[in-house]
């Protein structure tokens, strides 16, 4: 068996990498499925895999319940809804923790998944072959090793797709999942990306005017509690309409709140068209926001979580602040949370 140097780097079981590679080499006529509301990881991984399989003379196509956003045009070539031109025989998911995340349009395929490649701790092993590496920063990082194992050499397109997956899931190498391994894989990938600065500009600097204005409104209208440690902001439907902002412009906007100095818990409430509140919690340090979201029937990670609440905003805010205060009280009483 050929030695795979990236295997050691991403600390993934060689069995997992080999299993995925052999499976992909043996099969043909693939449909690669993304999760709904596609992000850089699912898009980058799907297009990298499609390209790799096609380079081996196989047939592969991609499906997603929601159209791809213009932000990823440099990967999708502007294909908002990829063309489907043959009947697939092999179903593969990338970055899909559970079949409910396939979304409405792909829900009918949930019992047919042959191979799932994922990295979420909450992965539900719904496929015939399940390859999940929860310690890996992105699915693209796992795929980098899988493609190498398959004998596919990197070119600039493949490397750009895989880099997009890794760079977006680590928030441009800033989030807590960024480690030596993520940087080592990126170092391998960027050797093949001559226009790296352009890719980073598109992914991390370029924002629509509506998004910029939305950020300004969110920050200037935020309410602060507990001497500035808790920040709560609302994005209302009226605000979105006024600024001409779309669903796309809301992507990861919750993270903004914990970038304000002094803020330990950032809360962003997004009003949905049917009057509910989609709440995102972001923690800068020691508050476990997954516990706070659970109070309201939601969930997530220690530093990023979410839940769904009912309006009005003032009432939701009051209940949220109360829950965060209770958390602080338990922390100060010496509990380990
Ligand atoms: Mn991911």
């Amino acid at each position: 068996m050929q030695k795979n140097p990236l295997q050691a780097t991403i600390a993934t079981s060689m069995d997992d990498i080999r299993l995925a590679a052999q499976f992909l080499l043996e099969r043909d006529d693939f449909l690669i499925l993304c999760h709904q509301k596609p992000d850089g990881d699912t898009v980058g991984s799907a297009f990298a895999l499609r390209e790799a399989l096609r380079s081996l003379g196989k047939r592969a196509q991609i499906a997603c319940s929601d159209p791809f956003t213009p932000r990823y045009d440099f990967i999708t070539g502007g294909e908002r809804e990829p063309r489907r031109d043959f009947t697939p025989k092999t179903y593969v998911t990338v970055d899909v923790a559970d079949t409910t995340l396939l979304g409405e349009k792909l829900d009918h395929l949930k019992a047919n998944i042959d191979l799932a490649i994922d990295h979420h701790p909450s992965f539900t092993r719904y496929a015939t072959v399940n390859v999940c590496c929860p310690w890996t920063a992105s699915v693209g990082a796992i795929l980098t090793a899988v493609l190498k194992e398959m004998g596919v050499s990197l070119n600039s397109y493949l490397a750009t797709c895989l880099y997009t997956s890794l760079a977006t899931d680590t928030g441009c190498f800033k989030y807590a999942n960024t480690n030596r391994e993520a940087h080592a894989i990126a170092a391998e990938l960027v050797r093949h990306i001559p226009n790296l600065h352009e890719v980073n500009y598109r992914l991390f600097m370029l924002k629509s005017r509506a998004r910029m204005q939305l950020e300004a409104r969110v920050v200037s209208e935020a309410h602060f509690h507990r001497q500035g440690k808790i920040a709560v902001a609302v994005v209302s439907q009226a605000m979105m309409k006024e600024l001409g902002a779309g669903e796309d412009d809301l992507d990861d906007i919750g993270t903004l709140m914990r970038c304000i100095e002094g803020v330990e818990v950032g809360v962003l409430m997004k009003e949905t068209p049917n009057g509910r509140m989609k709440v995102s919690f972001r923690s800068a340090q020691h508050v476990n926001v997954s516990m706070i979201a659970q109070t309201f029937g939601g969930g997530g990670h220690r530093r990023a979580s979410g839940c769904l609440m009912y309006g009005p905003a003032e009432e939701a805010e009051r209940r949220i602040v109360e829950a965060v205060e209770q958390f602080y009280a338990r922390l100060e009483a010496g509990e380990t949370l």
Side-chain angles (χ1 to χ4, degrees):
M1 198 75 205
Q2 210 185 352
K3 208 167 173 277
N4 185 337
L6 274 175
Q7 187 260 319
T9 312
I10 69 167
T12 296
S13 131
M14 191 57 196
D15 288 345
D16 276 346
I17 299 297
R18 200 179 291 150
L19 192 67
Q22 273 172 2
F23 180 91
L24 292 164
L25 287 172
E26 278 165 14
R27 302 291 192 101
D28 202 350
D29 294 342
F30 294 89
L31 182 62
I32 305 162
L33 306 170
C34 297
H35 62 72
Q36 62 185 355
K37 301 207 172 98
D39 65 358
D41 191 14
T42 201
V43 174
S45 298
F47 280 82
L49 185 54
R50 185 178 77 172
E51 178 71 11
L53 291 166
R54 285 181 176 174
S55 80
L56 296 169
K58 294 176 183 287
R59 293 202 294 183
Q61 55 195 1
I62 293 171
C64 184
S65 275
D66 297 309
F68 298 122
T69 66
R71 179 171 299 275
Y72 303 116
D73 276 359
F74 65 97
I75 286 175
T76 63
E79 266 185 276
R80 298 285 144 71
E81 287 175 63
R83 215 159 40 90
R84 304 267 303 272
D85 46 15
F86 64 86
T87 309
K89 291 199 189 86
T90 310
Y91 297 87
V92 181
T93 63
V94 282
D95 200 38
V96 182
D98 184 74
T99 50
T100 53
L101 300 167
L102 288 170
E104 215 181 312
K105 280 193 198 158
L106 301 179
D107 187 66
H108 63 287
L109 297 174
K110 66 184 173 203
N112 302 354
I113 311 302
D114 298 293
L115 170 67
I117 307 178
D118 191 38
H119 69 131
H120 294 94
S122 55
F123 178 63
T124 54
R125 305 189 69 83
Y126 51 81
T128 310
V129 176
N130 299 285
V131 171
C132 181
C133 313
W135 47 82
T136 301
S138 81
V139 169
I142 304 168
L143 267 183
T144 306
V146 172
L147 297 193
K148 197 151 199 164
E149 183 68 24
M150 291 166 73
V152 174
S153 13
L154 290 178
N155 56 32
S156 80
Y157 178 75
L158 275 175
T160 301
C161 292
L162 296 166
Y163 175 84
T164 297
S165 138
L166 182 58
T168 53
D169 259 22
T170 56
C172 200
F173 306 94
K174 291 195 304 274
Y175 296 161
N177 61 354
T178 306
N179 51 21
R180 196 182 62 84
E181 292 156 359
H183 280 289
I185 296 164
E188 163 102 7
L189 295 172
V190 300
R191 284 173 49 212
H192 305 274
I193 309 176
N195 61 338
L196 181 63
H197 66 283
E198 214 178 294
V199 173
N200 281 329
Y201 173 73
R202 291 200 156 275
L203 291 177
F204 304 110
M205 294 176 76
L206 197 65
K207 293 175 184 178
S208 70
R209 199 187 296 183
R211 166 65 181 234
M212 284 288 198
Q213 288 171 333
L214 204 55
E215 290 191 2
R217 285 278 293 271
V218 161
V219 174
S220 60
E221 293 173 21
H223 302 154
F224 295 87
H225 306 266
R226 208 185 163 89
Q227 292 89 46
K229 289 195 170 81
I230 308 169
V232 185
V234 183
V235 174
S236 65
Q237 285 292 315
M239 205 188 269
M240 302 261 298
K241 213 171 198 176
E242 195 185 317
L243 299 174
E247 191 60 32
D248 252 21
D249 297 305
L250 297 178
D251 186 40
D252 203 27
I253 197 166
T255 298
L256 191 65
M257 307 302 290
R258 74 165 167 203
C259 298
I260 304 169
E261 195 171 24
V263 172
E264 292 179 358
V265 183
V267 184
L268 191 80
M269 301 193 279
K270 292 179 256 185
E271 192 188 6
T272 67
N274 55 18
R276 292 200 207 172
M277 290 288 171
K278 262 176 88 176
V279 187
S280 14
F281 298 94
R282 295 290 184 274
S283 167
Q285 277 174 334
H286 37 258
V287 175
N288 180 350
V289 289
S290 136
M291 286 182 62
I292 303 206
Q294 277 167 26
T295 319
F296 303 107
H301 308 270
R302 285 187 73 86
R303 290 187 179 221
S305 66
C307 68
L308 202 60
M309 291 177 80
Y310 292 90
E314 297 75 22
E315 173 60 14
E317 177 170 353
R318 196 191 55 74
R319 291 174 59 205
I320 289 166
V321 173
E322 201 176 276
V324 180
E325 289 286 3
Q326 269 168 22
F327 186 91
Y328 273 111
R330 290 175 64 187
L331 213 58
E332 280 159 7
E335 274 187 69
T336 314
L337 299 166

